[in-house]
Amino acid sequence: MTADPTTRNTAVGRPVVETAHGPVRGVDDGTVQAWKAIRYAAAPVGDLRWRAPQPPQPWSEPADAGRVGPVCPQPTDPRIPIDLGAPQGEDFLSLNVWAPSGTRAGDAKPVMVWVHGGAYILGAASQPLYHGAALAAGGDVVVVTVNYRLGALGFLELVTLGADPERFATNVGLRDVVAALQWVRDNIAGFGGDPDRVTLFGESAGGGVVTALLGSPAAAGLFHAAIAQSSPATSSYDTGRARRVATRFLDVLGIGSGELDRLAALPIATIVAASRTVFDEVPVNTPGTLAFAPIVDGDFLPDYPVALARQGRTHPVPLIIGTNKNEAALFRYMKSPLMPVTPESVRAMFAEIAAEQPTVRLPSASDLDGTYRGRKKVRGMGVSSDLGFRMPSIWFADGHRAVAPVYLYRFDFATPVLRLMRLHAAHATELPYVWGNLVAGRKDPTFALGGRKAGQAVSERLRTRWVNFAAHGTPTGGAGDPEWHPYDAERRPTLVIDKEDSVVDDLDAEVRRAWGDDVLSFR
């Protein structure tokens, strides 16, 4: 059902939009209009906890959409001090919309739909980092941020243990994002957006959602361009690995595979605690892997995303894809086992891959020595960054460019503080620049030693390219910015985003020679 695309103001600064499920009343501060915590699906409680997303109950009176709503229940980690922007709660399948003030129904502005990261277990659409005012108003676009099920709620595959697939659907977190995209298709015109110009973009696990949905038949036609920032594109697993995780999850709860009916009634805190236990165990036991991630179920996700791209089976939409220069530095700083960075953990990761995939060609010691020069720990971080993020992005780009234009980038910019902390352009450091939210609060140290002026310029250039891509399908820059050509087999041009941007041909030649063209699917 498509909503009647009308917007009406019942009071100054409180725009009301009719949606397919009922009217919502937002706020207008003179720069942007915002509607927050709009339900796109029913609360996943009780029998709906692991079902595919269901429509919310319709309403007739304008729902207050002036503030963010609950976020997906999740564990807290002192090493990752995320400001979720809202309390946790079970009625969290909602989204937030920003549009420039003055936008009206039928304006048909480009739409950018954001999927947050967090290793498929953390994060929220309401994080202050993802406040959409600067991106929407500065780029004259409509911005949507989406909550989806995380951890065991979104990626626990109980079907692998014989569960009823209706009550325990596969890839529930991905299905939530598809439901949100369907909501955008049916309703965004009323907020001034163009349902035929939707760009799906995300970072880290959110980037993994993007590359997965590029190969999912269920997402066909729901977005028309895509941006995958630091996508762990090869961190999708088979049903055997998913079965082992599900078995362990039930062991932690003390529930047998024949007692799955008990799960719907368990307190959410119990589910979250078990999620945390399994999430922490898996990368210790199998380095370089996640407990909760998309799986190849043969239906919603018919094959591994990189394999689908290399088979020419991804949706033919333009794609920006890339990574940060020093991805693994964040995981070293946090002392997180999610990415192995020590020589011992890297060797363990290679042994695990070799045991599971004996036909895959792994780099030899001489390959690694030639490519990752320097101290052993630095080499370990380089190997992890390239295995976890850089090479999967290149493999995906090499496949997807056969069906649509692909633009490859690397984010290199780092402030003096980040360089002093040895983080440099670590994982997720590009996010403030994408969103134009460069300072997260009075205690944000990012620019304590300078670099603010350069950072603002980086943000302006990056947002210009992202917005132009959403509007026209090509990531053109401003006057004087280098021309960014599509990725091809001859030149392999890569945009390097730094204090001054540049386009470098075959930036990754040495790394590609070390890793070759074999795709590590993590089967």
Side-chain angles (χ1 to χ4, degrees), residues 34-238:
W35 298 264
K36 300 176 181 178
I38 305 173
R39 287 187 181 88
Y40 68 85
V45 297
D47 191 51
L48 298 183
R49 186 168 268 173
W50 279 282
R51 283 185 184 268
Q54 303 297 308
Q57 288 294 320
W59 61 91
S60 57
E61 293 300 314
D64 184 5
R67 63 181 64 185
V68 292
V71 306
C72 181
Q74 57 195 267
T76 57
D77 188 335
R79 297 170 300 181
I80 313 174
I82 296 176
D83 180 358
L84 296 174
Q88 301 182 27
E90 293 191 76
D91 188 4
F92 63 87
L93 290 182
S94 65
L95 49 78
N96 310 306
V97 180
W98 285 267
S101 290
T103 302
R104 292 292 180 265
D107 283 355
K109 295 182 177 182
V111 181
M112 301 181 72
V113 179
W114 175 253
V115 186
H116 69 79
Y120 299 107
I121 196 170
L122 303 171
S126 54
Q127 289 174 235
L129 178 59
Y130 309 139
H131 190 281
L135 186 59
D140 198 27
V141 295
V142 176
V143 174
V144 181
T145 62
V146 178
N147 281 332
Y148 58 105
R149 277 173 276 190
L150 303 170
L153 294 174
F155 300 95
L156 177 68
E157 303 300 344
L158 294 166
V159 167
T160 63
L161 300 179
D164 176 5
E166 289 296 320
R167 290 192 60 193
F168 299 95
T170 57
N171 288 309
V172 171
L174 297 183
R175 293 176 191 270
D176 289 342
V177 177
V178 166
L181 288 167
Q182 292 169 338
W183 183 96
V184 168
R185 177 196 62 198
D186 296 342
N187 295 280
I188 206 64
F191 299 84
D194 185 349
D196 295 320
R197 277 195 299 170
V198 175
T199 295
L200 182 66
F201 71 133
E203 182 267 347
S204 193
V209 170
V210 172
T211 48
L213 292 186
L214 277 165
S216 173
L222 293 177
F223 57 96
H224 313 90
I227 303 173
Q229 300 169 205
S230 301
S231 168
T234 49
S235 291
S236 298
Y237 306 128
D238 67 4

Side-chain angles (χ1 to χ4, degrees), residues 282-289 337-338 340 345-346 348-349 352 522:
V282 165
V284 173
N285 297 330
T286 53
T289 60
L338 288 179
S345 61
V346 169
M349 175 177 64
E352 175 78 12
F522 288 86

